[in-house]
Amino acid sequence: MATLSERNRQWAKNAPVLILSIAMDNFNHNGQPNRSAMYDTGAASLSLSLQATALGLSVHQMAGFVPIRPARLLTCRTIDGRWRCWLSVTRPVLTCSMTVSRTPNGPHVPGPR
């Protein structure tokens, strides 16, 4: 969480799951440029968000962060890619049979669509 902006730390501080989305600039198997890296990473984040919502979870995607080398922050091998966003996954707060997601400024009730 040290890389997140102060406002995003408020979103993430109580989240049981934090996910770092990374776009791989080159393919692992041949080292060639991956032209669809950004598209693929965005599609994966969207798919994860949709599935989490279908399971009754809440996902907040956060782009406010300082990208540092993942190996310095995470216990994993060095990753040749660009950080795209952090995602926090939580259980939404339930009030009066209505799903309410918690924001740093209080509850946020989604409007009708």
Side-chain angles (χ1 to χ4, degrees):
M1 281 205 333
T3 66
L4 292 172
S5 68
E6 182 58 38
R7 186 167 179 151
N8 284 331
R9 283 187 204 144
Q10 295 302 312
W11 279 101
K13 70 180 180 181
N14 295 321
V17 177
L18 288 175
I19 300 169
L20 176 59
S21 176
I22 300 174
M24 301 298 289
D25 295 325
N26 299 307
F27 290 107
N28 287 330
H29 68 282
N30 63 11
Q32 295 298 309
N34 180 0
R35 295 182 307 164
S36 64
M38 299 301 193
Y39 177 84
D40 293 344
T41 304
S45 294
L46 171 65
S47 296
L48 183 140
S49 297
L50 291 173
Q51 182 63 42
T53 301
L55 294 172
L57 301 172
S58 178
V59 176
H60 180 74
Q61 298 188 31
M62 302 170 284
F65 61 88
V66 177
I68 62 172
R69 292 191 57 205
R72 289 178 41 197
L73 178 66
L74 308 171
T75 53
C76 64
R77 65 179 176 80
T78 300
I79 298 173
D80 179 29
R82 285 185 277 170
W83 290 25
R84 299 316 310 159
C85 75
W86 283 94
L87 299 95
S88 65
V89 182
T90 61
R91 292 190 185 274
V93 177
L94 298 178
T95 306
C96 301
S97 302
M98 177 183 268
T99 301
V100 178
S101 57
R102 181 71 56 192
T103 69
N105 299 326
H108 170 72
V109 180
R113 300 233 182 240

